[in-house]
Amino acid sequence: MSFVRRNLVLLLGLLVLVYMYIPNVIVALMSFNDSSHARNLYRFQSFTWDNWLHPCRPDGMCAAVGKSVEIGLLATLVATVLGTLAAFALVRHRFHGRGSMNIVLFLPMASPEIVMGSSLLALFVATGFGGRLGFWTILIAHVMFCLSFVVITVRSRLAGLDANLEQAAMDLYATEFQTFWRVTFPLVFPGILGAALLAFSLSFDDFIITNLNAGQTVTFPMFVWGAAQRGVPMQVNVVGTVMFLIAIAVVVSGEVLSRRRAKGLVA
Amino acid sequence: MSSVADAPAGGRDLCLTGLRKEYPNGFVAVQSLDLEIPRGSFFALLGPSGCGKTTTLRMVAGLETVTAGSITIGDQDITHEKPYRRPVNTVFQNYALFPHLSISENVAFGMRRRGVKDVKGPVADILELTELTEQANKRPAQLSGGQQQRVALARALINRPEVLLLDEPLGALDLKLRRAMQLELKRIQTEVGLTFVHVTHDQEEAMTMADTIAVMNAGVIEQLGSPTELYENPATTFVANFLGQSNLIGGSVVGVEGGADGQVKVDMEGTVVSIPVERAHTANTVGTKGWVGVRPEKVLIAPAGEPIDAPGNHMTGAVIVDSSFIGVSTQYVVRMPWGREMLAFEQNTGARGVLAPGTKVDVSWRPEFAFLLDSSQDIDAGLGEA
Amino acid sequence: MVALTPETDPTPDAVAGGPRQRRKLTGYWLILPTAVWLGLFFVVPFYSLLATSLFDPDGSVLTGYDVTYHFANFGHALSEYWQPMVRSLWYAALATAFCLVLGYVLAYAIAFRAGRWKNLMLVLVVAPFFTSFLIRTLSWKLILGDNGWVVDALQTVHILGSDNRLLATPIAVVAGLTYNFLPFMVLPLYASLEKIDGRLIEAASDLYASPSRAFFKVTWPLSLPGVVGGTLLTFIPATGDFINASLLGSPNQRMVGNVIQDLFTTTGDYARAGALSVILMLIILVLVLFYIRKAGTEELL
């Protein structure tokens, strides 16, 4: 009993963590659910490998996943590049309008998605793009809401970087260009990578803004939403589980790599 | 890129002329500095934080723009040269080791940037010199403070700069390690024969290592000289207080005897004391006010009436108000007849026990140990800043 | 390279001015793309939204809209949809409160009790995110379903009547919101708690504070920036959310997000949808500013 009392806070914290994982466990379980007999009942019927062997059976699902990956990668690329540049500007350079820029960067994180989505839709309609909603309008929206998160992630990494290191490089005969690629960039890179990962997950997962600006284009969350009205194919859970496993793998390998680096095992 | 390769062996003198740094907000960090640092010397810039010593160093390194004046090495003007085109390297205050590179990669960084192909030999040599061979493949984070310090030194030294700049290089180490590293640095400097410019706020560190010390305060150099010169004959109240401790007593000149090596007679609270002319840093005309200074260890005391081995400035009627025994010496606070207190440090030679507070004593010091400072200077300048 | 610092120009200002001038401009070039993107697709759209909210309500996508300064849109929107609006704020507030309690426990455990598992636990907080939140919300539908074990258990102990349900009740919606936005609460709280020097808490107990007093007098005040950040990051998106209300609730739990979404996509009543969006944004803005002022953490912006 004294063990419980001593570690009460930790145990409670773990309990909260378990609570956060209940849905993931359900999703993983349901990916093995054979729902061919009762499509409309969202409950476990019997075990099958079928969903994993034929993930693309539901009409349009894999196309939607592909579309989401495509948009996710592009939005991540654009937002990461632009956001990293902006983070450098904010940390390393002086310019007029810095204060308002900080506010503009903060606001997207403090606005409800429904408001951002409807504003963008209002803009597209007002400028005559209302009939041409689709891939490009989704991409524009995704880059927009990813930017702030990228800037903030890279900025905090950059701000934590000791400016002396760059001066030391310059002192040791590295030109500005060499200093950037040999010292600054390698040190900020983990931050940039983290920002990219975050941007991709935000983009891949977004529904509210996307749905308003998608036109006829269907992303994976939109597919799930549409399916939810009729009965969700169990293969959706396969995609959810795979995404989760990929993310875990990326994070774990990053952690292992940085640990081995810290121990000096990898050059 | 030619500057590094063409440097003549043994280096050249570093010369700062009218060097000034003013920040955009109007703060003047360095007023107008003139310094000549001969090649091969170990030079220390000593001063409290904010005195402009680090700014001066950073201007020499090229990490800070120069507002006015010039920096030359030999006949080469490097005032506005990029940091990477100067034959100068820096050991940074917190070492600034690249955390993503191994120790040997850190050390090889400068040579690689200069396009040297084979760095293995020189890297091995310098790691040997700094006793880091075992650590070659580790990362900076795995090293102790003292080891990191040596990496920073090796990383700069391997480039054989004409001038090596050290910015508070031992500030992050504990006292014992700092003492050891002071001797180590001095040894390496003698061995490689490069010009070292060392910035520090620690007077003991400066005196241990440097041949020449420039004491800086508020953007100007207060006094320049060898450690002994500065300590024995300070020219300003700031130097007198910042470098060690001093007793400063107000007085006024009553006469001058003899010529260039004569004595200045000063009336100090009713007692006339004499000070050699070359130690009087005031206008030596009758009536000039000044501070009479004497180092506490030069002040001798003895119970009233007993003889003191110090001909010259002798005063009676003082009382011990406090004594603290600190092993090698005993520090006395003595109240003089005119009410002010003086410090006297006495070696514990065993000739006499510790005198108790309340003991009436006579006070004396040899005239050649006293100095006279300008009375317009603040008597408390430099106190509590080290 | 020599050309960069012309020897013919001895005045230091002119020599130093060259690169410095270039450096000054670099900042603008670096920030420009982001500024333009956010300006065009975040700031300008707010004007469009405002304009939309003042449309002539009789327009349509086909005939086009006119900005007629039809302020009546606001009145209509409010009188018609004040219920979902109030419900949204209420549900979001409840979810934020639950998140604060759960999130604080978890963040505190990670910051002070996790030891060398700290990083792993942090990763575990973020990891569920990578399964699409729509899918996760759907799985709550299963958990809280009428034949699920939660309902069964609650019915067995008579907390829930035998024909009462969880799904399609406010409980389910608030539970869903709490679950979905919990990580937004945990991360800022952790960032704040982690900065607290453990010795401060020891000092407090050394100065005769009981554990609970030490918590409320030392830990809690020092974690306030995280509390403010976390509650904002939870409350704001929760207010605008409509997915939990749609999937876990019934039409009786309709939130303002559902209304706006329907007006835009199904009804095509852009004017009223725009007006409702503007109202939502204004309410949130006022609440947030008031809250930040009250909490005294303006540096958050």
Side-chain angles (χ1 to χ4, degrees):
Chain A
M1 213 50 222
S2 74
F3 172 83
V4 172
R5 190 169 298 164
R6 238 181 312 121
N7 296 294
L8 186 64
V9 177
L10 187 60
L11 289 174
L12 286 176
L14 286 174
L15 222 55
V16 176
L17 210 53
V18 168
Y19 161 72
M20 292 175 77
Y21 274 82
I22 294 174
N24 289 69
V25 173
I26 301 289
V27 170
L29 277 178
M30 293 305 274
S31 72
F32 296 103
N33 183 22
D34 182 2
S35 64
S36 47
H37 311 297
R39 231 183 106 88
N40 289 326
L41 255 183
Y42 194 69
R43 58 182 300 186
F44 202 86
Q45 312 282 329
S46 58
F47 181 87
T48 177
W49 288 104
D50 200 51
N51 305 322
W52 284 84
L53 296 174
H54 308 283
C56 285
R57 189 169 288 159
D59 272 349
M61 190 188 83
C62 281
V65 171
K67 192 60 77 187
S68 272
V69 170
E70 196 182 341
I71 291 171
L73 290 178
L74 262 175
T76 301
L77 184 71
V78 177
T80 307
V81 171
L82 299 194
T84 302
L85 295 181
F88 269 88
L90 286 166
V91 176
R92 290 298 164 83
H93 297 272
R94 291 167 182 282
F95 53 89
H96 294 286
R98 179 194 197 82
S100 27
M101 195 63 221
N102 273 326
I103 292 175
V104 169
L105 279 167
F106 174 79
L107 278 177
M109 294 187 292
S111 308
E113 281 189 82
I114 187 80
V115 176
M116 278 194 283
S118 49
S119 316
L120 255 184
L121 177 61
L123 173 78
F124 289 138
V125 169
T127 48
F129 285 90
R132 276 181 277 173
L133 295 176
F135 184 85
W136 294 106
T137 50
I138 299 176
L139 187 65
I140 285 173
H142 284 205
V143 171
M144 183 270 289
F145 67 70
C146 288
L147 262 176
S148 301
F149 289 94
V150 172
V151 173
I152 288 201
T153 312
V154 178
R155 184 173 66 180
S156 72
R157 178 86 194 180
L158 197 54
L161 183 69
D162 183 1
N164 273 330
L165 291 175
E166 285 160 306
Q167 297 185 345
M170 298 265 269
D171 186 63
L172 294 164
Y173 313 105
T175 60
E176 285 93 344
F177 183 78
Q178 290 172 324
T179 301
F180 180 80
W181 286 111
R182 302 249 167 212
V183 175
T184 317
F185 188 75
L187 289 174
V188 180
F189 186 69
I192 297 176
L193 202 66
L197 207 63
L198 183 63
F200 184 81
S201 76
L202 286 172
S203 165
F204 191 86
D205 209 17
D206 182 75
F207 172 70
I208 297 180
I209 296 178
T210 312
N211 189 39
L212 285 169
N213 294 286
Q216 300 305 310
T217 309
V218 176
T219 63
F220 179 62
M222 290 172 68
F223 173 86
V224 177
W225 178 260
Q229 323 294 327
R230 306 184 298 271
V232 184
M234 289 305 131
Q235 281 84 348
V236 159
N237 296 304
V238 174
V239 178
T241 309
V242 167
M243 283 294 295
F244 177 69
L245 293 178
I246 290 177
I248 291 281
V250 168
V251 172
V252 166
S253 58
E255 185 73 9
V256 167
L257 201 69
S258 77
R259 270 192 195 190
R260 286 178 64 184
R261 263 173 180 252
K263 284 189 185 139
L265 296 173
V266 181
Chain B
M1 286 286 164
S2 61
S3 54
V4 178
D6 294 351
R12 298 167 289 179
D13 297 349
L14 171 67
C15 198
L16 315 181
T17 318
L19 200 62
R20 180 181 171 82
K21 177 67 191 184
E22 186 176 343
Y23 285 101
N25 63 11
F27 175 71
V28 180
V30 178
Q31 298 279 2
S32 173
L33 209 68
D34 291 296
L35 263 186
E36 228 185 295
I37 300 170
R39 66 180 188 190
S41 62
F42 200 129
F43 189 94
L45 272 173
L46 174 67
S49 55
C51 73
K53 57 189 194 305
T54 296
T55 310
T56 308
L57 194 83
R58 290 170 58 82
M59 284 193 282
V60 176
L63 302 172
E64 205 85 63
T65 56
V66 173
T67 312
S70 71
I71 303 167
T72 55
I73 291 183
D75 49 7
Q76 184 192 359
D77 186 344
I78 58 162
T79 315
H80 303 294
E81 199 67 274
K82 295 270 186 191
Y84 48 84
R85 298 175 71 202
R86 298 176 184 225
V88 164
N89 287 117
T90 310
V91 175
F92 287 81
Q93 185 165 13
N94 292 313
Y95 319 135
L97 302 180
F98 305 124
H100 59 304
L101 302 179
S102 72
I103 300 311
S104 55
E105 286 169 326
N106 261 284
V107 172
F109 192 90
M111 295 194 95
R112 288 243 166 82
R113 298 292 83 73
R114 276 154 55 204
V116 178
K117 287 277 175 292
D118 188 30
V119 298
K120 271 199 179 135
V123 167
D125 289 347
I126 201 83
L127 289 178
E128 175 110 40
L129 178 75
T130 48
E131 293 164 18
L132 286 165
T133 312
E134 308 267 293
Q135 329 293 340
N137 294 319
K138 291 189 181 165
R139 304 240 161 205
Q142 295 166 269
L143 266 52
S144 71
Q147 289 172 325
Q148 292 186 9
Q149 207 284 327
R150 292 209 297 274
V151 177
L153 189 65
R155 188 178 70 173
L157 274 181
I158 195 175
N159 304 296
R160 295 267 152 183
E162 292 194 56
V163 179
L164 184 74
L165 307 172
L166 303 112
D167 184 7
E168 302 270 7
L170 309 178
L173 305 179
D174 63 51
L175 188 62
K176 215 169 167 187
L177 195 53
R178 194 157 55 205
R179 293 251 165 85
M181 284 303 297
Q182 286 171 2
L183 301 175
E184 182 79 3
L185 265 180
K186 186 69 191 163
R187 173 182 73 81
I188 291 174
Q189 196 261 340
T190 323
E191 211 159 301
V192 296
L194 302 174
T195 311
F196 277 34
V197 179
H198 177 196
V199 154
T200 181
H201 67 275
D202 181 344
Q203 38 128 348
E204 191 189 307
E205 189 174 301
M207 290 204 277
T208 311
M209 292 193 281
D211 315 321
T212 312
I213 299 176
V215 180
M216 271 191 94
N217 181 34
V220 296
I221 291 183
E222 291 262 336
Q223 194 177 355
L224 181 96
S226 72
T228 7
E229 271 170 39
L230 291 183
Y231 186 79
E232 299 297 350
N233 188 6
T236 65
T237 55
F238 180 85
V239 177
N241 288 326
F242 187 73
L243 220 66
Q245 284 172 288
S246 292
N247 293 300
L248 295 176
I249 306 139
S252 62
V253 177
V254 292
V256 182
E257 285 174 8
D261 49 350
Q263 303 274 325
V264 182
K265 296 282 180 192
V266 182
D267 176 7
M268 191 184 80
E269 311 280 349
T271 311
V272 175
V273 296
S274 48
I275 292 155
V277 167
E278 76 270 13
R279 298 174 66 86
H281 305 278
T282 53
N284 298 327
T285 51
V286 174
T288 309
K289 295 226 178 295
W291 301 114
V292 175
V294 61
R295 296 290 187 183
E297 74 277 10
K298 304 293 192 313
V299 178
L300 305 180
I301 57 173
E306 285 184 24
I308 306 180
D309 174 32
N313 307 324
H314 192 91
M315 277 145 282
T316 54
V319 180
I320 293 180
V321 291
D322 187 38
S323 66
S324 39
F325 176 80
I326 55 163
V328 291
S329 63
T330 306
Q331 307 195 343
Y332 292 104
V333 179
V334 179
R335 179 169 303 120
M336 300 306 288
W338 55 85
R340 290 204 52 154
E341 287 171 353
M342 280 185 76
L343 282 175
F345 298 167
E346 190 174 82
Q347 286 289 315
N348 288 327
T349 56
R352 184 184 57 218
V354 174
L355 298 171
T359 313
K360 289 198 172 5
V361 289
D362 294 345
V363 175
S364 173
W365 61 82
R366 289 172 172 271
E368 61 265 37
F369 291 144
F371 46 88
L372 186 63
L373 304 174
D374 194 334
S375 69
S376 65
Q377 292 171 358
D378 179 10
I379 189 174
D380 292 330
L383 276 182
E385 292 192 68
Chain C
M1 282 218 148
V2 179
L4 286 178
T5 47
E7 283 162 48
T8 48
D9 205 340
T11 56
D13 272 336
V15 175
R20 209 186 289 158
Q21 204 62 44
R22 258 199 343 230
R23 265 186 79 80
K24 258 184 194 165
L25 283 178
T26 319
Y28 290 99
W29 284 116
L30 291 177
I31 200 78
L32 188 71
T34 298
V36 167
W37 200 289
L38 287 181
L40 279 182
F41 303 121
F42 179 72
V43 179
V44 173
F46 275 117
Y47 289 102
S48 308
L49 183 69
L50 208 58
T52 306
S53 68
L54 300 173
F55 277 167
D56 175 2
D58 297 329
S60 75
V61 187
L62 298 176
T63 58
Y65 294 96
D66 297 315
V67 179
T68 52
Y69 296 99
H70 203 91
F71 283 101
N73 287 338
F74 285 88
H76 288 158
L78 259 188
S79 63
E80 205 166 329
Y81 301 113
W82 66 272
Q83 268 181 319
M85 182 69 84
V86 171
R87 194 180 291 133
S88 289
L89 295 170
W90 172 234
Y91 285 0
L94 279 177
T96 307
F98 290 131
C99 277
L100 184 59
V101 174
L102 294 177
Y104 209 105
V105 170
L106 182 52
Y108 189 94
I110 298 176
F112 294 122
R113 298 288 144 85
R116 59 200 210 87
W117 302 107
K118 207 183 249 191
N119 277 338
L120 179 73
M121 279 181 82
L122 266 185
V123 169
L124 287 179
V125 170
V126 189
F129 253 87
F130 290 91
T131 298
S132 175
F133 84 111
L134 276 175
I135 304 179
R136 282 180 290 129
T137 310
L138 278 172
S139 73
W140 277 109
K141 201 169 177 172
L142 176 80
I143 301 164
L144 303 175
D146 295 342
N147 301 312
W149 56 270
V150 177
V151 171
D152 283 347
L154 290 175
Q155 283 173 343
T156 315
V157 295
H158 296 290
I159 289 177
L160 219 56
S162 57
D163 37 280
N164 284 358
R165 50 196 309 226
L166 281 177
L167 217 53
T169 64
I171 297 173
V173 178
V174 173
L177 287 171
T178 306
Y179 166 77
N180 265 314
F181 297 105
L182 188 52
F184 290 97
M185 182 65 89
V186 175
L187 295 180
L189 276 177
Y190 168 77
S192 246
L193 284 169
E194 200 234 350
K195 285 194 199 122
I196 298 178
D197 188 342
R199 284 172 301 182
L200 288 178
I201 299 162
E202 286 173 15
S205 45
D206 181 58
L207 296 166
Y208 316 108
S210 64
S212 67
R213 268 188 87 83
F215 176 81
F216 285 110
K217 292 285 174 192
V218 179
T219 315
W220 173 258
L222 287 173
S223 66
L224 269 185
V227 173
V228 173
T231 43
L232 287 181
L233 283 180
T234 311
F235 180 77
I236 295 169
T239 316
D241 181 83
F242 62 82
I243 286 160
N244 288 285
S246 287
L247 296 182
L248 305 175
S250 70
N252 289 332
Q253 282 83 44
R254 248 157 77 94
M255 292 171 66
V256 70
N258 300 69
V259 178
I260 296 174
Q261 157 84 10
D262 286 348
L263 286 177
F264 266 120
T265 54
T266 318
T267 325
D269 190 347
Y270 282 32
R272 210 156 285 177
L276 213 51
S277 271
V278 170
I279 293 168
L280 176 63
M281 190 68 207
L282 283 178
I283 290 178
I284 287 181
L285 214 61
V286 169
L287 283 178
V288 166
L289 285 178
F290 182 74
Y291 180 61
I292 289 181
R293 174 137 320 165
K294 203 76 177 156
T297 44
E298 267 141 282
E299 73 266 29
L300 209 78
L301 292 163

